[in-house]
Amino acid sequence: DPPKHPSLICMPRHDAGGDPKTQKRLQLVSLDGLLDYQMDDDDFEVSLMSEVFSEMLTQRSAMKILAHLRGCLAKHQEKEIKEHARKVAEDEAKAKEKEKEKEKEKE
């Protein structure tokens, strides 16, 4: 049965009478393991792919964090604007009350 989710299936080739030296071995290696390479390794393409993949993951994570921080900043600024507007309205109401009291005192 095919997999339910998109995936990459890696299977080593098994030759019945083939030379074991020419057969490929399948290894599961973490991204950290792939990034731990020496410059004289023969697997330059794998090392390059792992570097690019790591950069991609780092960039995606950074973009998600940045978007979240921008959202938090926008919410904070919105709260500050509302609070400032409320204070201005309260100050105006107090000023009007004082004016009314002064007018009553004059009469």
Side-chain angles (χ1 to χ4, degrees):
D1 294 334
K4 294 179 181 178
H5 305 287
S7 59
L8 176 66
I9 300 174
C10 298
M11 296 174 26
R13 192 178 81 178
H14 296 288
D15 290 336
D19 185 10
K21 293 180 183 178
T22 61
Q23 290 183 355
K24 301 291 181 188
R25 293 179 300 137
L26 179 65
Q27 286 183 312
L28 296 177
V29 182
S30 68
L31 181 58
D32 189 46
L34 288 173
L35 291 171
D36 187 27
Y37 61 89
Q38 303 297 321
M39 290 304 292
D40 57 342
D41 284 348
D42 293 333
D43 299 330
F44 173 75
E45 292 85 2
V46 173
S47 302
L48 180 64
M49 186 275 314
S50 62
E51 287 285 346
V52 171
F53 189 72
S54 176
E55 290 288 328
M56 180 198 67
L57 291 176
T58 303
Q59 181 185 16
R60 281 189 179 179
S61 298
M63 294 302 287
K64 286 182 180 181
I65 291 170
L66 180 62
H68 181 72
L69 290 175
R70 283 183 179 165
C72 290
L73 179 62
K75 287 180 184 177
H76 180 72
Q77 288 175 339
E78 187 178 311
K79 284 181 183 178
E80 284 184 347
I81 290 170
K82 286 181 181 178
E83 186 175 322
H84 179 70
R86 183 184 55 79
K87 285 181 181 178
V88 168
E90 286 177 0
D91 290 345
E92 287 176 357
K94 287 179 183 177
K96 285 182 182 179
E97 285 180 22
K98 285 182 181 179
E99 285 179 20
K100 286 181 183 179
E101 288 177 6
K102 286 182 182 179
E103 288 178 10
K104 285 183 182 178
E105 288 177 4
K106 287 181 182 179
E107 293 178 1

XYZ file of all heavy atoms in Angstrom:
858
model
N 0.835 -1.186 0.000
C 0.000 0.000 0.000
C 0.882 1.253 0.000
O 1.871 1.316 0.724
C -0.898 0.029 1.233
C -1.931 -1.097 1.214
O -2.281 -1.558 0.121
O -2.366 -1.497 2.303
N 0.485 2.260 -0.755
C 1.249 3.509 -0.742
C 1.033 4.246 0.585
O 0.018 4.055 1.248
C 0.669 4.299 -1.910
C -0.686 3.737 -2.130
C -0.613 2.297 -1.708
N 1.971 5.087 0.979
C 1.805 5.830 2.238
C 0.642 6.817 2.153
O 0.305 7.303 1.085
C 3.136 6.561 2.407
C 3.813 6.500 1.092
C 3.226 5.378 0.315
N 0.027 7.092 3.298
C -1.117 8.011 3.353
C -0.682 9.462 3.216
O -1.441 10.299 2.771
C -1.880 7.817 4.666
C -2.532 6.470 4.777
C -3.255 6.310 6.093
C -3.868 4.932 6.185
N -4.532 4.718 7.463
N 0.547 9.779 3.639
C 1.066 11.142 3.596
C 2.237 11.188 2.623
O 2.903 10.177 2.402
C 1.527 11.584 4.985
C 0.453 11.446 6.024
N -0.634 12.292 6.077
C 0.294 10.571 7.038
C -1.407 11.937 7.078
N -0.868 10.887 7.684
N 2.505 12.355 2.041
C 3.664 12.458 1.157
C 4.933 12.069 1.906
O 5.154 12.496 3.032
C 3.710 13.934 0.770
C 2.361 14.465 1.069
C 1.777 13.620 2.145
N 5.722 11.242 1.299
C 6.933 10.784 1.966
C 7.949 10.326 0.932
O 7.644 10.182 -0.244
C 6.607 9.652 2.934
O 6.016 8.581 2.228
N 9.146 10.106 1.404
C 10.224 9.603 0.568
C 10.614 8.255 1.123
O 10.985 8.143 2.287
C 11.408 10.578 0.602
C 12.647 10.152 -0.153
C 12.339 10.094 -1.648
C 13.775 11.124 0.107
N 10.514 7.232 0.303
C 10.840 5.884 0.746
C 12.211 5.526 0.188
O 12.421 5.553 -1.020
C 9.785 4.864 0.270
C 8.410 5.256 0.833
C 10.184 3.461 0.681
C 7.288 4.418 0.306
N 13.152 5.230 1.059
C 14.503 4.832 0.655
C 14.682 3.366 0.974
O 14.462 2.935 2.096
C 15.551 5.640 1.410
S 15.455 7.396 1.088
N 15.065 2.610 -0.026
C 15.288 1.180 0.176
C 16.608 0.814 -0.484
O 16.873 1.194 -1.622
C 14.138 0.375 -0.432
C 12.830 0.657 0.264
S 11.327 -0.089 -0.425
C 11.826 -1.503 -1.269
N 17.462 0.069 0.224
C 18.720 -0.343 -0.392
C 18.472 -1.385 -1.475
O 17.476 -2.107 -1.437
C 19.509 -0.922 0.774
C 18.482 -1.357 1.751
C 17.328 -0.409 1.575
N 19.370 -1.399 -2.447
C 19.240 -2.378 -3.516
C 19.890 -3.681 -3.063
O 21.006 -3.691 -2.544
C 19.939 -1.855 -4.767
C 19.605 -2.667 -5.989
C 20.281 -2.083 -7.165
N 21.664 -2.579 -7.129
C 22.572 -2.300 -8.042
N 22.286 -1.512 -9.020
N 23.778 -2.784 -7.944
N 19.185 -4.754 -3.231
C 19.711 -6.066 -2.850
C 19.918 -6.884 -4.118
O 18.961 -7.285 -4.777
C 18.740 -6.804 -1.919
C 18.532 -6.127 -0.602
N 19.489 -6.105 0.373
C 17.491 -5.414 -0.115
C 19.040 -5.426 1.414
N 17.824 -4.991 1.143
N 21.170 -7.116 -4.459
C 21.477 -8.003 -5.579
C 21.718 -9.391 -5.026
O 22.453 -9.573 -4.052
C 22.719 -7.529 -6.334
C 22.459 -6.247 -7.096
O 21.290 -5.987 -7.422
O 23.434 -5.507 -7.358
N 21.116 -10.366 -5.668
C 21.225 -11.733 -5.164
C 22.672 -12.215 -5.145
O 23.144 -12.750 -4.155
C 20.369 -12.673 -6.008
N 23.393 -12.037 -6.210
C 24.763 -12.539 -6.232
C 25.776 -11.431 -6.384
O 26.907 -11.675 -6.765
N 25.375 -10.215 -6.072
C 26.238 -9.062 -6.297
C 27.355 -8.938 -5.281
O 27.351 -9.585 -4.236
N 28.296 -8.124 -5.635
C 29.431 -7.853 -4.760
C 28.969 -6.985 -3.594
O 28.404 -5.915 -3.808
C 30.513 -7.130 -5.569
C 31.784 -6.928 -4.762
O 31.894 -7.513 -3.666
O 32.661 -6.178 -5.234
N 29.195 -7.387 -2.341
C 28.738 -6.594 -1.190
C 29.380 -5.205 -1.137
O 28.826 -4.281 -0.573
C 29.158 -7.416 0.025
C 29.579 -8.744 -0.467
C 29.822 -8.645 -1.928
N 30.555 -5.030 -1.755
C 31.217 -3.723 -1.728
C 30.489 -2.704 -2.591
O 30.541 -1.519 -2.334
C 32.659 -3.859 -2.199
C 33.533 -4.650 -1.259
C 34.941 -4.750 -1.782
C 35.791 -5.608 -0.852
N 37.154 -5.760 -1.368
N 29.816 -3.173 -3.650
C 29.128 -2.248 -4.550
C 27.693 -1.970 -4.114
O 27.068 -1.067 -4.639
C 29.112 -2.797 -5.989
O 28.415 -4.043 -6.007
C 30.519 -2.965 -6.512
N 27.188 -2.751 -3.183
C 25.822 -2.533 -2.722
C 25.781 -1.329 -1.791
O 26.691 -1.103 -1.003
C 25.285 -3.767 -1.997
C 25.046 -4.935 -2.924
C 24.444 -6.119 -2.183
O 24.299 -6.097 -0.973
N 24.091 -7.146 -2.919
N 24.724 -0.574 -1.900
C 24.540 0.609 -1.055
C 23.890 0.198 0.258
O 23.061 -0.704 0.308
C 23.655 1.642 -1.752
C 24.183 2.110 -3.066
C 25.415 2.940 -2.865
C 25.928 3.441 -4.205
N 27.207 4.089 -4.101
N 24.294 0.889 1.325
C 23.688 0.637 2.627
C 22.781 1.801 2.982
O 23.082 2.953 2.676
C 24.754 0.503 3.706
C 25.620 -0.708 3.549
C 26.681 -0.789 4.615
N 27.533 0.396 4.553
C 27.941 1.059 5.621
N 27.588 0.679 6.828
N 28.702 2.126 5.514
N 21.697 1.492 3.620
C 20.756 2.521 4.060
C 21.054 2.852 5.516
O 21.136 1.972 6.358
C 19.316 2.017 3.915
C 18.223 2.960 4.365
C 18.220 4.204 3.483
C 16.885 2.282 4.305
N 21.244 4.159 5.792
C 21.495 4.596 7.159
C 20.537 5.717 7.496
O 20.264 6.582 6.654
C 22.916 5.141 7.306
C 23.988 4.100 7.308
C 25.346 4.763 7.534
O 25.658 5.748 6.889
N 26.117 4.211 8.450
N 20.032 5.699 8.695
C 19.224 6.802 9.187
C 20.131 7.699 10.012
O 20.701 7.270 11.008
C 18.063 6.295 10.040
C 17.037 5.440 9.305
C 15.984 4.934 10.284
C 16.380 6.243 8.209
N 20.271 8.932 9.557
C 21.155 9.878 10.228
C 20.365 11.155 10.476
O 19.629 11.613 9.605
C 22.395 10.183 9.358
C 23.332 11.132 10.071
C 23.109 8.909 8.976
N 20.518 11.719 11.656
C 19.831 12.974 11.971
C 20.470 14.121 11.196
O 21.579 14.000 10.663
C 19.913 13.249 13.471
O 21.253 13.521 13.826
N 19.764 15.241 11.135
C 20.305 16.409 10.452
C 21.584 16.876 11.141
O 22.548 17.269 10.487
C 19.271 17.538 10.419
C 19.684 18.818 9.710
C 20.067 18.543 8.261
C 18.584 19.853 9.785
N 21.615 16.783 12.458
C 22.816 17.147 13.201
C 23.986 16.250 12.804
O 25.118 16.705 12.670
C 22.547 17.059 14.707
C 23.676 17.626 15.536
O 24.156 18.728 15.199
O 24.084 16.964 16.506
N 23.684 14.976 12.595
C 24.721 14.049 12.156
C 25.214 14.368 10.758
O 26.406 14.249 10.457
N 24.307 14.806 9.894
C 24.710 15.180 8.539
C 25.546 16.453 8.534
O 26.428 16.630 7.691
C 23.482 15.383 7.649
C 22.719 14.127 7.254
C 21.445 14.510 6.521
C 23.577 13.212 6.406
N 25.263 17.357 9.475
C 26.005 18.613 9.537
C 27.385 18.440 10.155
O 28.235 19.327 10.042
C 25.209 19.654 10.323
C 23.939 20.149 9.644
C 23.132 21.000 10.597
C 24.253 20.904 8.369
N 27.617 17.315 10.793
C 28.911 17.035 11.410
C 29.776 16.287 10.396
O 29.946 15.080 10.467
C 28.714 16.214 12.683
C 30.005 16.031 13.445
O 30.893 16.896 13.317
O 30.126 15.012 14.147
N 30.333 17.015 9.447
C 31.119 16.391 8.376
C 32.504 17.012 8.322
O 32.757 18.075 8.877
C 30.424 16.559 7.030
C 30.217 17.986 6.602
C 31.176 18.667 5.883
C 29.054 18.666 6.946
C 30.997 19.986 5.508
C 28.862 19.986 6.573
C 29.842 20.638 5.858
O 29.660 21.932 5.489
N 33.394 16.356 7.649
C 34.746 16.848 7.421
C 34.858 17.308 5.977
O 34.176 16.794 5.104
C 35.779 15.734 7.685
C 35.710 15.134 9.072
C 36.010 16.153 10.153
O 36.888 16.994 10.001
N 35.274 16.095 11.255
N 35.697 18.280 5.728
C 35.831 18.818 4.376
C 36.401 17.788 3.398
O 36.196 17.898 2.201
C 36.719 20.068 4.381
C 36.059 21.255 5.049
S 34.465 21.706 4.335
C 34.983 22.306 2.746
N 37.083 16.791 3.879
C 37.663 15.795 2.978
C 36.727 14.603 2.741
O 37.114 13.631 2.102
C 39.009 15.310 3.512
C 38.913 14.725 4.911
O 37.911 14.994 5.596
O 39.855 14.013 5.313
N 35.473 14.695 3.228
C 34.508 13.616 2.996
C 34.182 13.512 1.510
O 34.227 14.485 0.768
C 33.204 13.854 3.769
C 33.352 13.545 5.244
O 34.376 12.933 5.618
O 32.453 13.918 6.014
N 33.827 12.314 1.092
C 33.449 12.074 -0.302
C 31.997 12.456 -0.565
O 31.581 12.534 -1.714
C 33.653 10.599 -0.667
C 35.125 10.227 -0.655
O 35.964 11.127 -0.872
O 35.437 9.040 -0.435
N 31.224 12.679 0.480
C 29.785 12.951 0.327
C 29.531 14.460 0.318
O 28.745 14.982 1.115
C 28.998 12.288 1.461
C 29.161 10.789 1.460
O 29.358 10.225 0.363
O 29.091 10.189 2.537
N 30.180 15.172 -0.591
C 30.032 16.626 -0.659
C 28.589 17.019 -0.925
O 28.067 17.949 -0.319
C 30.936 17.208 -1.744
C 30.718 18.667 -1.968
C 31.201 19.590 -1.052
C 30.014 19.123 -3.063
C 30.997 20.944 -1.234
C 29.800 20.482 -3.258
C 30.297 21.387 -2.344
N 27.900 16.320 -1.819
C 26.525 16.664 -2.187
C 25.587 16.518 -0.991
O 24.710 17.354 -0.772
C 26.028 15.788 -3.351
C 26.724 16.051 -4.666
C 28.023 15.264 -4.810
O 28.372 14.482 -3.899
O 28.692 15.463 -5.834
N 25.783 15.466 -0.216
C 24.939 15.246 0.962
C 25.202 16.338 1.994
O 24.276 16.878 2.597
C 25.187 13.844 1.564
C 24.438 13.669 2.873
C 24.797 12.764 0.570
N 26.445 16.698 2.174
C 26.802 17.755 3.122
C 26.213 19.089 2.690
O 25.679 19.846 3.513
C 28.321 17.875 3.233
O 28.892 16.656 3.640
N 26.303 19.382 1.401
C 25.752 20.630 0.883
C 24.236 20.667 1.053
O 23.666 21.668 1.491
C 26.119 20.795 -0.595
C 25.614 22.063 -1.269
C 26.245 23.286 -0.627
C 25.925 22.015 -2.757
N 23.572 19.554 0.732
C 22.115 19.477 0.890
C 21.719 19.649 2.350
O 20.751 20.343 2.669
C 21.598 18.130 0.360
C 20.099 17.977 0.325
S 19.249 17.422 1.835
C 20.179 16.059 2.416
N 22.474 19.066 3.258
C 22.140 19.186 4.683
C 22.334 20.623 5.166
O 21.549 21.112 5.970
C 22.956 18.205 5.521
O 24.332 18.476 5.423
N 23.361 21.319 4.680
C 23.569 22.724 5.038
C 22.408 23.583 4.552
O 21.880 24.417 5.294
C 24.870 23.250 4.434
C 26.114 22.745 5.103
C 26.389 23.391 6.438
O 25.767 24.422 6.767
O 27.248 22.861 7.163
N 22.003 23.385 3.303
C 20.902 24.171 2.732
C 19.597 23.867 3.469
O 18.818 24.768 3.778
C 20.769 23.881 1.219
C 19.508 24.495 0.653
C 21.988 24.396 0.479
N 19.348 22.603 3.777
C 18.129 22.210 4.486
C 18.106 22.829 5.884
O 17.068 23.330 6.337
C 18.038 20.686 4.554
C 16.730 20.192 5.061
C 15.586 20.284 4.282
C 16.626 19.631 6.317
C 14.364 19.829 4.756
C 15.414 19.168 6.790
C 14.288 19.273 6.005
N 19.257 22.831 6.553
C 19.332 23.425 7.886
C 19.060 24.924 7.824
O 18.336 25.464 8.669
C 20.723 23.174 8.477
O 20.857 23.811 9.714
N 19.633 25.607 6.826
C 19.373 27.044 6.654
C 17.892 27.308 6.404
O 17.333 28.272 6.915
C 20.204 27.588 5.484
C 21.684 27.648 5.766
C 22.058 28.740 6.739
O 21.384 29.782 6.748
O 23.020 28.542 7.496
N 17.254 26.450 5.605
C 15.836 26.615 5.306
C 14.998 26.491 6.583
O 14.104 27.296 6.839
C 15.365 25.578 4.289
C 13.904 25.695 3.927
S 13.236 24.227 3.150
C 13.294 23.051 4.471
N 15.307 25.477 7.394
C 14.565 25.293 8.643
C 14.783 26.469 9.595
O 13.842 26.933 10.243
C 14.987 23.985 9.323
C 14.570 22.703 8.626
C 15.144 21.502 9.370
C 13.064 22.587 8.523
N 16.007 26.960 9.655
C 16.311 28.101 10.512
C 15.536 29.331 10.058
O 14.954 30.057 10.876
C 17.822 28.387 10.496
O 18.514 27.219 10.918
C 18.176 29.551 11.393
N 15.513 29.567 8.756
C 14.802 30.727 8.226
C 13.301 30.624 8.490
O 12.668 31.594 8.898
C 15.052 30.872 6.726
C 14.365 32.079 6.140
C 14.513 32.172 4.632
O 14.877 31.212 3.976
N 14.206 33.331 4.090
N 12.739 29.447 8.267
C 11.295 29.276 8.516
C 10.960 29.526 9.980
O 9.971 30.182 10.299
C 10.838 27.877 8.113
C 10.636 27.715 6.643
C 9.977 26.401 6.346
N 9.753 26.265 4.924
C 9.214 25.211 4.370
N 8.839 24.188 5.111
N 9.042 25.158 3.077
N 11.778 28.981 10.867
C 11.527 29.178 12.301
C 11.652 30.647 12.671
O 10.825 31.178 13.417
C 12.519 28.364 13.127
O 12.356 26.986 12.869
N 12.661 31.305 12.133
C 12.849 32.725 12.432
C 11.681 33.558 11.913
O 11.235 34.492 12.584
C 14.163 33.222 11.819
N 11.173 33.229 10.744
C 10.045 33.973 10.189
C 8.787 33.783 11.034
O 8.017 34.724 11.235
C 9.786 33.560 8.739
C 10.912 33.947 7.784
S 11.264 35.708 7.772
C 9.858 36.312 6.912
N 8.577 32.573 11.542
C 7.417 32.336 12.407
C 7.542 33.119 13.705
O 6.567 33.704 14.183
C 7.267 30.838 12.702
C 6.743 30.055 11.526
C 6.557 28.598 11.873
C 6.030 27.830 10.667
N 5.820 26.410 10.969
N 8.730 33.142 14.279
C 8.948 33.895 15.516
C 8.747 35.385 15.272
O 8.087 36.074 16.063
C 10.361 33.612 16.076
C 10.439 32.164 16.568
C 10.720 34.597 17.182
C 11.842 31.711 16.915
N 9.278 35.888 14.165
C 9.127 37.301 13.825
C 7.657 37.669 13.632
O 7.198 38.699 14.131
C 9.923 37.632 12.564
C 9.864 39.075 12.088
C 10.443 40.017 13.137
C 10.581 39.216 10.765
N 6.907 36.826 12.934
C 5.483 37.098 12.719
C 4.737 37.133 14.054
O 3.876 37.990 14.271
C 4.882 36.049 11.801
N 5.067 36.212 14.948
C 4.416 36.188 16.260
C 4.750 37.448 17.058
O 3.865 38.053 17.683
C 4.846 34.945 17.039
C 4.208 34.846 18.383
N 2.883 34.532 18.561
C 4.717 35.057 19.614
C 2.598 34.543 19.848
N 3.698 34.862 20.513
N 6.021 37.859 17.035
C 6.419 39.058 17.766
C 5.749 40.303 17.202
O 5.340 41.191 17.954
C 7.945 39.223 17.740
C 8.726 38.209 18.562
C 10.216 38.409 18.356
C 8.369 38.297 20.028
N 5.633 40.369 15.873
C 4.934 41.507 15.266
C 3.472 41.536 15.694
O 2.912 42.601 15.954
C 5.030 41.439 13.745
C 6.360 41.872 13.213
C 6.371 41.859 11.706
N 7.654 42.315 11.216
C 8.064 42.155 9.973
N 7.284 41.538 9.101
N 9.231 42.592 9.594
N 2.842 40.358 15.761
C 1.455 40.285 16.220
C 1.318 40.749 17.656
O 0.392 41.490 17.998
N 2.257 40.333 18.501
C 2.241 40.768 19.906
C 2.426 42.277 20.006
O 1.753 42.938 20.794
C 3.341 40.062 20.693
S 3.054 38.305 20.950
N 3.334 42.821 19.211
C 3.576 44.266 19.225
C 2.334 45.028 18.777
O 1.960 46.032 19.389
C 4.760 44.617 18.325
C 5.115 46.096 18.233
C 5.526 46.625 19.603
C 6.219 46.304 17.216
N 1.670 44.530 17.740
C 0.458 45.200 17.247
C -0.631 45.190 18.310
O -1.309 46.207 18.527
C -0.032 44.523 15.974
N -0.801 44.062 18.998
C -1.802 43.984 20.065
C -1.462 44.947 21.196
O -2.333 45.625 21.734
C -1.890 42.559 20.609
C -2.570 41.589 19.672
C -2.614 40.204 20.265
C -3.209 39.206 19.294
N -3.188 37.840 19.848
N -0.169 45.005 21.550
C 0.258 45.903 22.630
C 0.018 47.365 22.245
O -0.476 48.151 23.058
C 1.735 45.672 22.939
C 2.268 46.538 24.017
N 1.924 46.355 25.340
C 3.109 47.603 23.983
C 2.527 47.279 26.072
N 3.263 48.042 25.271
N 0.363 47.713 21.001
C 0.145 49.089 20.548
C -1.337 49.420 20.509
O -1.743 50.534 20.860
C 0.766 49.295 19.163
C 2.270 49.339 19.194
C 2.875 49.420 17.811
O 2.251 49.073 16.821
N 4.126 49.861 17.740
N -2.162 48.470 20.115
C -3.614 48.696 20.075
C -4.144 48.950 21.487
O -4.955 49.858 21.700
C -4.301 47.469 19.461
C -5.771 47.636 19.217
C -6.369 46.407 18.554
O -5.806 45.941 17.562
O -7.401 45.934 19.061
N -3.663 48.185 22.460
C -4.084 48.385 23.842
C -3.658 49.767 24.342
O -4.419 50.446 25.021
C -3.486 47.303 24.754
C -4.156 45.968 24.636
C -3.519 44.962 25.579
C -4.127 43.592 25.432
N -3.473 42.608 26.318
N -2.425 50.167 24.004
C -1.941 51.477 24.434
C -2.773 52.600 23.820
O -3.087 53.584 24.495
C -0.471 51.656 24.050
C 0.485 50.914 24.938
C 1.933 51.198 24.579
O 2.203 51.769 23.506
O 2.800 50.840 25.387
N -3.140 52.463 22.553
C -3.952 53.483 21.889
C -5.314 53.590 22.557
O -5.806 54.689 22.833
C -4.082 53.173 20.383
C -2.739 53.398 19.689
C -5.166 54.020 19.735
C -2.680 52.901 18.267
N -5.934 52.459 22.849
C -7.246 52.466 23.512
C -7.145 53.086 24.897
O -8.014 53.861 25.310
C -7.809 51.050 23.599
C -8.315 50.517 22.276
C -8.873 49.123 22.438
C -9.377 48.552 21.107
N -9.885 47.194 21.247
N -6.099 52.745 25.634
C -5.931 53.280 26.988
C -5.702 54.794 26.938
O -6.264 55.546 27.738
C -4.739 52.592 27.663
C -4.582 52.966 29.118
C -3.473 52.183 29.784
O -3.314 50.991 29.481
O -2.768 52.793 30.610
N -4.898 55.241 25.975
C -4.653 56.677 25.827
C -5.954 57.410 25.475
O -6.244 58.480 26.039
C -3.599 56.923 24.739
C -3.306 58.369 24.511
N -2.632 59.149 25.424
C -3.617 59.193 23.479
C -2.533 60.366 24.977
N -3.114 60.432 23.785
N -6.741 56.842 24.565
C -8.012 57.465 24.183
C -8.965 57.538 25.379
O -9.660 58.534 25.574
C -8.658 56.691 23.039
N -8.967 56.491 26.194
C -9.815 56.478 27.388
C -9.383 57.571 28.365
O -10.202 58.304 28.912
C -9.758 55.104 28.056
C -10.665 54.959 29.279
C -10.507 53.617 29.958
N -9.147 53.288 30.334
C -8.503 53.752 31.411
N -9.114 54.610 32.216
N -7.276 53.388 31.680
N -8.065 57.707 28.571
C -7.566 58.738 29.483
C -7.896 60.134 28.976
O -8.266 61.017 29.751
C -6.053 58.592 29.664
C -5.658 57.430 30.542
C -4.163 57.356 30.713
C -3.775 56.171 31.586
N -2.320 56.054 31.732
N -7.750 60.354 27.664
C -8.071 61.660 27.084
C -9.553 61.968 27.285
O -9.929 63.084 27.658
C -7.690 61.697 25.583
C -8.274 62.917 24.894
C -6.174 61.666 25.427
N -10.412 60.969 27.068
C -11.851 61.165 27.249
C -12.171 61.482 28.709
O -12.997 62.362 29.004
C -12.621 59.933 26.788
N -11.519 60.790 29.639
C -11.734 61.061 31.064
C -11.280 62.474 31.420
O -11.966 63.194 32.153
C -10.986 60.041 31.924
C -11.603 58.669 31.958
C -10.778 57.690 32.777
O -9.713 58.079 33.324
O -11.179 56.518 32.850
N -10.111 62.880 30.903
C -9.606 64.229 31.181
C -10.550 65.299 30.621
O -10.790 66.322 31.273
C -8.203 64.404 30.588
C -7.156 63.578 31.319
O -7.453 63.110 32.447
O -6.055 63.389 30.767
N -11.081 65.060 29.430
C -12.023 66.013 28.846
C -13.297 66.107 29.678
O -13.838 67.190 29.902
C -12.360 65.621 27.405
C -11.241 65.871 26.412
C -11.583 65.393 25.018
O -12.666 64.805 24.815
O -10.757 65.607 24.109
N -13.773 64.957 30.157
C -14.978 64.954 30.984
C -14.736 65.719 32.290
O -15.590 66.491 32.740
C -15.411 63.520 31.262
N -13.569 65.523 32.901
C -13.239 66.240 34.134
C -13.140 67.738 33.873
O -13.591 68.556 34.695
C -11.922 65.716 34.712
C -12.032 64.352 35.338
C -10.691 63.893 35.863
C -10.773 62.481 36.427
N -9.452 62.001 36.886
N -12.534 68.107 32.749
C -12.407 69.530 32.417
C -13.783 70.166 32.223
O -14.024 71.295 32.677
C -11.559 69.696 31.158
N -14.698 69.460 31.580
C -16.055 69.980 31.382
C -16.769 70.144 32.712
O -17.488 71.114 32.937
C -16.850 69.059 30.460
C -16.462 69.183 29.009
C -17.309 68.284 28.139
C -16.890 68.374 26.687
N -17.682 67.496 25.815
N -16.581 69.177 33.617
C -17.205 69.266 34.941
C -16.677 70.480 35.702
O -17.432 71.189 36.360
C -16.941 67.984 35.734
C -17.767 66.800 35.289
C -17.459 65.560 36.117
O -16.952 65.683 37.257
O -17.725 64.460 35.610
N -15.373 70.723 35.614
C -14.795 71.882 36.304
C -15.342 73.185 35.729
O -15.618 74.129 36.465
C -13.270 71.860 36.188
C -12.618 70.833 37.076
C -11.111 70.881 36.958
C -10.471 69.829 37.844
N -8.999 69.844 37.731
N -15.494 73.227 34.406
C -16.052 74.426 33.776
C -17.483 74.670 34.245
O -17.878 75.804 34.517
C -16.020 74.291 32.247
C -14.646 74.464 31.638
C -14.670 74.300 30.123
O -15.739 74.427 29.502
O -13.595 74.023 29.568
N -18.262 73.601 34.340
C -19.650 73.728 34.812
C -19.673 74.223 36.247
O -20.509 75.053 36.620
C -20.378 72.391 34.694
C -20.740 72.022 33.277
C -21.478 70.716 33.235
C -21.797 70.279 31.819
N -22.499 68.983 31.774
N -18.763 73.697 37.086
C -18.706 74.141 38.486
C -18.327 75.621 38.574
O -18.871 76.366 39.378
C -17.697 73.289 39.261
C -18.157 71.871 39.535
C -17.102 71.044 40.227
O -16.043 71.590 40.610
O -17.321 69.836 40.368
N -17.389 76.059 37.738
C -17.002 77.476 37.740
C -18.147 78.364 37.296
O -18.370 79.454 37.842
C -15.792 77.690 36.816
C -14.505 77.181 37.390
C -13.349 77.463 36.438
C -12.054 76.910 36.999
N -10.924 77.152 36.080
N -18.917 77.921 36.301
C -20.072 78.690 35.833
C -21.144 78.799 36.936
O -21.760 79.840 37.098
C -20.666 78.057 34.578
C -19.824 78.238 33.330
C -20.427 77.556 32.114
O -21.582 77.092 32.167
O -19.715 77.457 31.107
N -21.336 77.688 37.664
C -22.316 77.717 38.750
C -21.856 78.674 39.867
O -22.667 79.339 40.478
C -22.497 76.312 39.324
C -23.317 75.416 38.428
C -23.539 74.057 39.074
C -24.321 73.139 38.178
N -24.507 71.812 38.780
N -20.555 78.705 40.138
C -20.040 79.592 41.174
C -20.211 81.068 40.777
O -20.455 81.923 41.613
C -18.563 79.288 41.455
C -18.333 77.997 42.183
C -16.859 77.691 42.370
O -16.004 78.544 41.987
O -16.546 76.628 42.891
N -20.077 81.344 39.486
C -20.226 82.733 38.990
C -21.662 83.206 39.124
O -21.910 84.377 39.325
C -19.772 82.829 37.542
C -18.288 82.753 37.372
C -17.911 82.881 35.921
C -16.423 82.757 35.720
N -16.064 82.850 34.306
N -22.593 82.314 38.989
C -24.024 82.689 39.055
C -24.433 82.929 40.451
O -24.627 83.614 41.212
C -24.897 81.575 38.487
C -24.715 81.377 37.028
C -25.542 80.241 36.515
O -26.282 79.592 37.262
O -25.446 79.952 35.336
